[in-house]
Amino acid sequence: MGKVKITVFKKVDPSVIFDGNVPNMYGTDVPFSICTAFEEGQEYLAEDGAMPDGFCNWAWRDISKDVAILNFGGNFWAEWTKPGEMLTCCTDGVRPVSFKLERIEG
């Protein structure tokens, strides 16, 4: 087992996706705010596959599979990744957050 550094890469402003408002089931507009769980540039360390303290449970559910692959020495095949790295995100469709994962060697 190893370590994976998780860096908050980008938080998406919901206005980019929904023009600031989304009608709810009652027909009124519901404003959405940008994710408040993270700050861009914030770093976490996942050791031995465990969720870091203070990390969002919902985001961890989404990215833990990618962390596990790096943790066990695997790599991803994509032209935009390097061995030992991955860009991934939480699946919040209203205000997603992207993360850069980096395997820590040694």
Side-chain angles (χ1 to χ4, degrees):
M1 299 284 269
K3 298 178 184 178
V4 176
K5 182 170 92 169
I6 304 167
T7 303
V8 180
F9 185 71
K10 180 73 175 170
K11 297 186 339 176
V12 176
D13 186 328
S15 66
V16 172
I17 300 169
F18 295 111
D19 213 323
N21 292 296
V22 175
N24 71 16
M25 59 194 273
Y26 302 108
T28 59
D29 289 336
V30 179
F32 292 96
S33 64
I34 197 164
C35 176
T36 58
F38 300 105
E39 294 300 324
E40 289 180 7
Q42 191 173 10
E43 295 180 346
Y44 295 88
L45 188 62
E47 297 187 62
D48 298 328
M51 183 177 79
D53 289 339
F55 203 85
C56 172
N57 290 323
W58 289 104
W60 182 252
R61 181 190 62 83
D62 292 329
I63 74 165
S64 62
K65 64 192 178 311
D66 298 330
V67 171
I69 289 169
L70 293 176
N71 190 42
F72 286 104
N75 291 302
F76 296 89
W77 183 88
E79 63 272 7
W80 42 269
T81 63
K82 298 176 184 175
E85 294 185 3
M86 179 58 172
L87 290 177
T88 190
C89 69
C90 74
T91 57
D92 184 330
V94 175
R95 50 193 184 173
V97 177
S98 295
F99 302 93
K100 181 179 181 182
L101 308 180
E102 300 170 89
R103 180 173 42 242
I104 304 298
E105 303 291 343

